[in-house]
Amino acid sequence: QVQLVESGGGLVQPGGSLRLSCAASGNTISFYAVGWYRQAPGKQRELVAHITSENLADYVDSVKGRFTISRDNAENTVYLQMNNLKPEDTAVYYCNLGYYTRGTYLAADYWGQGTQVTVSS
C-alpha cells in the first residue's frame, strides 16, 4: 500500500512561487502516473497537472506556462513548481497516483492528505 504525503504549501503574495512535494512510501511510484489536483472552497476537485511514468506532462489551461510538474523516482517524490501565483490558485492541493491510458489520466484510489495554498496580498 502506498502512502502519499504532500508538503510545501503556505501563504504567498500574488506573483510569488511555491514548490509542492509529494513523497511516497510503502511502494515505488515509478510505474504510476501521478497527478496534482486542487480543490477550492465550494468547487469540485480539478486535475491541475499530471506526469506519466515516461515523464510526459500535461496541464490544465489555467496553469500552463506557470506550473511545472516533475518526478524523481529515486527519491519516490513528485514536485509541482508553481510560479506567478494568482489568487484563483488558492486551494488545497492533493497528489494522486493513477494511470495514463489513451490520452487520459485516470486517478487510482491513492491520495495524500493535501496541503493548503493561499495566494493573497
Side-chain angles (χ1 to χ4, degrees):
Q1 188 76 3
V2 178
Q3 291 82 42
L4 304 174
V5 177
E6 301 95 335
S7 61
L11 173 63
V12 63
Q13 291 186 340
S17 297
L18 286 173
R19 187 194 195 201
L20 306 184
S21 298
C22 172
S25 61
N27 207 343
T28 179
I29 63 169
S30 59
F31 302 112
Y32 288 93
V34 181
W36 279 100
Y37 286 76
R38 66 185 179 188
Q39 187 166 21
K43 294 189 176 181
Q44 288 189 332
R45 191 172 295 190
E46 69 167 341
L47 178 63
V48 173
H50 71 265
I51 187 166
T52 71
S53 56
E54 291 82 24
N55 269 328
L56 299 176
D58 201 4
Y59 306 86
V60 69
D61 284 347
S62 60
V63 308
K64 281 182 179 178
R66 301 189 297 121
F67 289 12
T68 303
I69 188 171
S70 61
R71 64 191 300 161
D72 184 338
N73 289 335
E75 295 294 327
N76 227 23
T77 301
V78 175
Y79 303 97
L80 186 67
Q81 177 67 44
M82 306 186 296
N83 298 328
N84 190 22
L85 283 160
K86 304 176 179 181
E88 52 263 41
D89 296 317
T90 296
V92 179
Y93 283 71
Y94 300 89
C95 69
N96 169 264
L97 297 190
Y99 307 95
Y100 186 75
T101 181
R102 298 181 181 180
T104 302
Y105 179 84
L106 302 175
D109 196 22
Y110 300 108
W111 295 91
Q113 82 290 349
T115 185
Q116 176 71 47
V117 171
T118 302
V119 185
S120 175
S121 55

